Amino acid sequence: MNWTLPSKVIVQGITEPKGAYYARKMKAYGTKIIAGIGIGGGGQTIEDIPVFELVDRAIEQVGEVTTTLIFVQPYQVLDAALEAIAANIKQILILTSGVPPLDMVILLKKAKMADTLIVGPSSGGIRVPEKVLLGTIEPSFYTPGYIGLISCCNPLSYEVALALNEAGLGQSIVISVGT
């Protein structure tokens, strides 16, 4: 997996209730969310995060983006992800569940051609303890350490992290790959 610690993050679907809620949590944790994308939401702000209608418009205003998190409705995921790929964003985390399988087949083919990393759908995100929170992973379950934790299910990663913490072992990264 070719993943790098993100320096600039956008949230596609920030005007959706789930997108707005987790954007606030990530920003409070210290993740550098520089813009949000929301249909019909251009010009507003959410927690001091400027909202744009299109990824290209956001990039024109804020500069290069390293990572996007997608919280849009399932049948909008393909369009949102293709928009991010067209804008040369190389790390895409899809937190939406219920994405049509054929849409994912199309997306993964396009992402491979563009050398873009896709995590998800139904991902809980990525967490580097005390550095970055991307997605819906609950940060209170994890402590810094040297063990990488990869799971397809957030509750299972919480259980494993708790067991590791009780044994005095922290985590270097937690990745919820989704389904």
Side-chain angles (χ1 to χ4, degrees):
M1 183 168 92
N2 189 16
W3 184 78
T4 58
L5 204 59
S7 57
K8 293 182 177 180
V9 178
I10 63 171
V11 176
Q12 291 177 267
I14 197 166
T15 54
E16 299 281 335
K18 191 173 180 181
Y21 175 78
Y22 284 107
R24 286 182 189 98
K25 285 188 80 157
M26 290 182 285
K27 186 173 181 197
Y29 190 80
T31 301
K32 190 171 181 179
I33 299 176
I34 58 170
I37 311 299
I39 296 172
Q44 47 178 306
T45 59
I46 295 175
E47 292 292 315
D48 296 325
I49 301 168
V51 179
F52 300 88
E53 298 246 356
L54 299 169
V55 172
D56 284 343
R57 291 206 180 119
I59 291 174
E60 286 172 8
Q61 294 294 314
V62 300
E64 184 181 348
V65 172
T66 57
T67 305
T68 185
L69 289 91
I70 297 179
F71 283 99
V72 300
Q73 296 299 316
Y75 288 95
Q76 298 171 326
V77 167
L78 178 60
D79 289 339
L82 291 176
E83 184 181 4
I85 290 170
N88 204 31
I89 298 174
K90 295 298 182 185
Q91 298 179 154
I92 300 173
L93 280 71
I94 303 171
L95 296 115
T96 303
S97 298
V99 178
L102 187 53
D103 286 3
M104 286 306 300
V105 170
I106 293 166
L107 175 57
L108 292 173
K109 183 178 179 183
K110 296 277 187 184
K112 184 175 182 178
M113 290 188 305
D115 195 31
T116 301
L117 173 69
I118 303 285
V119 177
S122 303
S123 171
I126 296 175
R127 163 105 164 74
V128 178
E130 296 185 358
K131 290 186 181 174
V132 70
L133 172 63
L134 299 168
T136 63
I137 293 174
E138 181 56 51
S140 61
F141 289 100
Y142 305 98
T143 57
Y146 299 100
I147 297 175
L149 178 56
I150 300 174
S151 172
C152 62
C153 162
N154 277 350
L156 181 57
S157 69
Y158 299 156
E159 292 287 332
V160 172
L162 178 62
L164 290 170
N165 293 342
E166 288 174 350
L169 304 169
Q171 302 81 46
S172 58
I173 189 169
V174 179
I175 303 170
S176 173
V177 295
T179 55

